[in-house]
Amino acid sequence: MSPNPLPIRAVVFDLDGTLLDTAGDFIVVLNQLRREHQLPELTDEAIRRTVSNGARALIELGFNVTESDPEFAPLRSRLLELYMQHIAVYTQPFSGIIELLHDIKRCGLGWGIATNKPELYTQALLDKLALKPAPEVVICPDNITHRKPDPESLLFAARHFECEPSQIIYLGDHIRDIDCGRRAGAITIGCGYGYIDEGDDPKNWQADYLVNHSLELAPLIARLIQARQTAEQPA
């Protein structure tokens, strides 16, 4: 007879497109960079779909160049310079997220962030937003050896929260997030409201659960917490 599943101890979020709607600032800065190069603006939707893939993907989208092109590095540097100047102007938590964070804390659980966004920009963004309750751990590529989809971020989180990875719920809006969570052994929630690549289908990510709107997260997470608590009770 298999043992009962362990209780949930923490909820960990990907950042861009999962916890925070950061696309508005990236739309502004990428189009500003294109204007600097006498190029017309791209549509908001085209940029929004690419945000979760980071600055490299935005430069590829905006200028049709790859990392091997000599103009790539200066374009990326300028984009990041503009982004730091414009960080958190339009960025805000998705609907219901702040309430969800309070729910998590009321349940006695921890919460954190595991992102592929570099620490410099992650911390600047979080400093500006001053989320309450604040995350207990923020894991960036600077803090680990292998970024997502490698499971190292979630294994790091498990050590921080002093629990098994199976006691963590991990949420993300890209298959790399779900792969990271699954490989670590966490419970995964695919966030279909995030920045989904054109042609991608969140149903193919093999997440344990899938939501289409951020307001679906609180009731789902509450059910998962309750189910684990119930399973923990002796017969």
Side-chain angles (χ1 to χ4, degrees):
M1 185 175 179
S2 61
N4 289 333
L6 295 169
I8 305 298
R9 292 296 184 219
V11 181
V12 179
F13 298 79
D14 173 53
L15 190 62
D16 299 82
T18 301
L19 183 75
L20 301 178
D21 187 358
T22 56
D25 291 314
F26 282 108
I27 289 167
V28 169
V29 299
L30 182 57
N31 277 327
Q32 180 176 339
L33 185 55
R34 280 177 60 86
R35 287 196 302 273
E36 290 179 3
H37 289 263
Q38 293 76 50
L39 294 170
E41 293 188 356
L42 295 175
T43 66
D44 291 3
E45 186 55 34
I47 297 173
R48 176 175 289 274
R49 285 196 303 263
T50 308
V51 167
S52 279
N53 291 316
R56 290 178 178 84
L58 288 168
I59 292 301
E60 290 175 2
L61 171 71
F63 296 90
N64 194 30
V65 295
T66 64
E67 288 188 73
S68 61
D69 292 307
E71 62 265 41
F72 182 92
L75 284 168
R76 181 175 179 272
S77 295
R78 178 58 177 158
L79 179 75
L80 292 173
E81 178 185 11
L82 292 171
Y83 180 56
M84 187 62 90
Q85 294 170 6
H86 203 273
I87 206 163
V89 174
Y90 295 116
T91 291
Q92 58 186 349
F94 283 99
S95 299
I97 289 292
I98 296 300
E99 294 81 359
L100 172 59
L101 298 181
H102 284 287
D103 290 346
I104 291 167
K105 297 302 290 184
R106 278 193 291 269
C107 290
L109 275 61
W111 87 271
I113 294 167
T115 177
N116 278 353
K117 196 186 197 83
E119 187 173 34
L120 174 66
Y121 306 100
T122 297
Q123 200 54 57
L125 181 57
L126 294 176
D127 287 347
K128 286 276 191 179
L129 293 177
L131 297 175
K132 301 294 181 186
E136 295 168 42
V137 64
V138 179
I139 305 161
C140 300
D142 314 66
N143 313 123
I144 54 175
T145 304
H146 304 291
R147 63 175 60 205
K148 301 180 293 184
D150 189 277
E152 186 179 355
S153 294
L154 267 293
L155 299 178
F156 186 113
R159 291 194 298 273
H160 174 84
F161 290 112
E162 299 182 340
C163 68
E164 295 296 322
S166 63
Q167 295 178 277
I168 293 175
I169 298 172
Y170 185 51
L171 301 86
D173 70 318
H174 196 281
I175 190 171
R176 77 172 71 86
D177 303 317
I178 304 307
D179 283 348
C180 170
R182 291 178 68 238
R183 291 167 66 184
I187 302 164
T188 56
I189 299 178
C191 298
Y193 59 82
Y195 308 142
I196 313 302
D197 291 340
E198 187 173 13
D200 194 7
D201 185 348
K203 293 177 183 176
N204 296 330
W205 299 348
Q206 297 184 312
D208 295 308
Y209 303 91
L210 180 64
V211 299
N212 294 312
H213 196 285
S214 56
L215 292 175
E216 298 174 34
L217 291 174
L220 171 58
I221 290 174
R223 289 197 302 272
L224 294 175
I225 293 169
Q226 180 60 40
R228 287 291 188 96
Q229 289 174 335
T230 302
E232 189 184 22
Q233 299 303 316

